[in-house]
Amino acid sequence: MNIENESVLTLPDGLLGFDHLTRYVVLSDNDKSAFRWLQSLEDPAVAFLLIDPWCFRPDYGPEIRNEDVAALGIRPESAKIVYAIVTIPPGQPEAMTANLLGPIVINVSAQTGRQVIVDNCEYYTTKHSILTEMRRATGLQATVH
Amino acid sequence: MLVLTRRTNQSIIIGDDIEITIVEIKGDQVRLGITAPRDITVHRKEIHEQIRQENIQAAALQAQDAALAQNLLDSPDAAKPKGSD
């Protein structure tokens, strides 16, 4: 695994349910992968699989609230990265889902991040089937006979 | 729990700087207007809880499932349900 930028990512408020863990690193198995690992530095047993949401939902349009933007210190022009957290039911990787309702937004220059609840929450859920929506996006479903 | 009765356009103040106004009452729905400092986040409780539960499920992920998921991302066709081809 490679530690990207070798820098600590701080999530000052932690993640919901993991409020006490605030220091992470973002790791990748290989550069071409759409997946990343969000590894806790405070509890080695806690890691989240992240995905670039646009790789399977090119039309993803999260609306981020002003208070979340302010908390991250992001200006409209600042570089930010958005990741969705992936859930895989044990032994069923084909059923993997991504949480598009509560993505993680990272202020790249400050290396701080925050799990936000998107303002247009009527469009997104915590369980979007990655493979189904990826096939829909690429039109592959039309090939089913 | 403190229980108060309010009418449309009346409000309550929490602390010095959080104000909650009853904007509209229609049937069994109440529309609330909330004024709070920028660092106070306000969310519907059920959405907050959904995301908390999802995070807990996500943290239980097995490394071998992630490796298999990576293969599926590379060739999503491989995961088509049986009989679909």
Side-chain angles (χ1 to χ4, degrees), chain A residues 79-139:
Chain A
K80 61 179 188 291
I81 296 178
V82 177
Y83 288 120
I85 300 177
V86 177
T87 299
I88 306 180
Q92 299 176 63
E94 70 283 354
M96 61 179 150
T97 57
N99 179 355
L100 296 186
L101 182 62
I104 293 175
V105 181
I106 296 171
N107 176 340
V108 176
S109 59
Q111 280 297 300
T112 59
R114 182 176 173 88
Q115 185 170 34
V116 307
I117 300 178
V118 300
D119 219 9
N120 45 347
C121 54
E122 64 275 28
Y123 295 120
Y124 301 110
T125 72
T126 56
K127 288 194 184 293
H128 287 258
S129 167
I130 292 172
L131 293 178
T132 303
E133 300 194 12
M134 180 182 261
R135 284 190 210 110
R136 189 181 299 146
T138 57

Side-chain angles (χ1 to χ4, degrees), chain A residues 16-18 33 35 37 48 65 67 85-88 90-91 94 96 114-115 117 126-127 134-135 143-144, chain B residues 38 41-43 47-48 50-52 54-55 57-59 61 65-66 68-70 72-73 76 79-80 84:
Chain A
L16 288 171
F18 298 86
S33 174
F35 285 138
W37 288 101
F48 298 89
R65 291 170 186 227
E67 63 260 34
I85 300 177
V86 177
T87 299
I88 306 180
E94 70 283 354
M96 61 179 150
R114 182 176 173 88
Q115 185 170 34
I117 300 178
T126 56
K127 288 194 184 293
M134 180 182 261
R135 284 190 210 110
T143 66
V144 173
Chain B
R38 296 182 107 187
T41 54
V42 179
H43 293 294
I47 290 183
H48 207 266
Q50 265 178 39
I51 291 177
R52 198 179 71 84
E54 194 63 32
N55 285 346
Q57 286 177 36
L61 186 140
D65 284 335
L68 293 169
Q70 176 67 61
L72 292 173
L73 266 198
K80 275 188 179 175
S84 67

Side-chain angles (χ1 to χ4, degrees), chain A residues 45-63:
Chain A
V46 174
F48 298 89
L49 188 64
L50 307 177
I51 191 168
D52 167 4
W54 287 280
C55 86
F56 71 98
R57 271 298 292 264
D59 65 337
Y60 184 46
E63 288 175 10

Side-chain angles (χ1 to χ4, degrees), chain A residues 56-78:
Chain A
F56 71 98
R57 271 298 292 264
D59 65 337
Y60 184 46
E63 288 175 10
I64 315 287
R65 291 170 186 227
N66 286 338
E67 63 260 34
D68 287 319
V69 171
L72 279 163
I74 291 177
R75 296 198 196 101
E77 70 277 12
S78 328

